[in-house]
């Protein structure tokens, strides 16, 4: 498997001693990694189908969200929410659901 694309793993780190204070802002750390990014359809056991993006990285990583090739740290619309994380031997898979696939029955 080739890891020839770039992904940005975004993690919100709580460094402040009092996270309940009014001035609390988590510090964001961004890790740039090589990734294998594929777009596919996922079908659940109940028959629902989703258009999803799977981001595979070599190694064990944690992230709260992901930025892909169009990632801009000043633009929140380029950040993608992670719905599921799969861990395998020396590999981490992040699943991003783009939309539900709905078939029109005629």
């Amino acid at each position: 498997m080739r890891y020839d694309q770039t992904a940005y793993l975004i993690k919100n780190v709580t460094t402040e001693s009092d996270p309940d204070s009014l001035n609390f802002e988590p510090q964001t750390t961004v890790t740039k990694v090589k990734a294998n990014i594929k777009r596919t359809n996922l079908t659940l056991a109940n028959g629902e189908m989703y258009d999803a993006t799977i981001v595979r990285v070599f190694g064990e990583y944690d992230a709260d969200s992901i930025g892909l090739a169009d990632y801009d740290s000043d633009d929140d619309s380029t950040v993608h929410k992670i719905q599921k994380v799969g861990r395998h031997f020396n590999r981490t898979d992040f699943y991003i659901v783009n939309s539900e696939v709905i078939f029109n029955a005629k």
Side-chain angles (χ1 to χ4, degrees), residues 7-92:
Y8 300 89
L9 305 179
I10 304 165
K11 182 89 173 149
N12 295 327
V13 181
T14 55
T15 57
E16 193 168 322
S17 60
D18 186 14
D20 293 328
S21 72
L22 294 175
N23 297 329
F24 174 72
E25 286 187 26
Q27 182 181 8
T28 302
T29 60
V30 178
T31 306
K32 182 178 175 181
V33 295
K34 289 292 189 181
N36 182 334
I37 302 171
K38 299 290 180 194
R39 194 160 182 172
T40 186
N41 286 336
L42 296 176
T43 304
L44 303 181
N46 62 1
E48 294 177 349
M49 184 180 287
Y50 294 94
D51 174 35
T53 302
I54 302 172
V55 179
R56 290 191 170 122
V57 295
F58 185 76
E60 293 188 18
Y61 288 95
D62 287 327
D64 295 320
S65 54
I66 288 187
L68 301 176
D70 62 345
Y71 174 68
D72 181 12
S73 60
D74 297 328
D75 186 8
D76 286 339
S77 68
T78 62
V79 175
H80 304 278
K81 182 180 175 187
I82 299 170
Q83 273 75 31
K84 181 183 175 198
V85 177
R87 304 217 185 264
H88 308 283
F89 182 72
N90 281 337
R91 190 180 84 201
T92 305

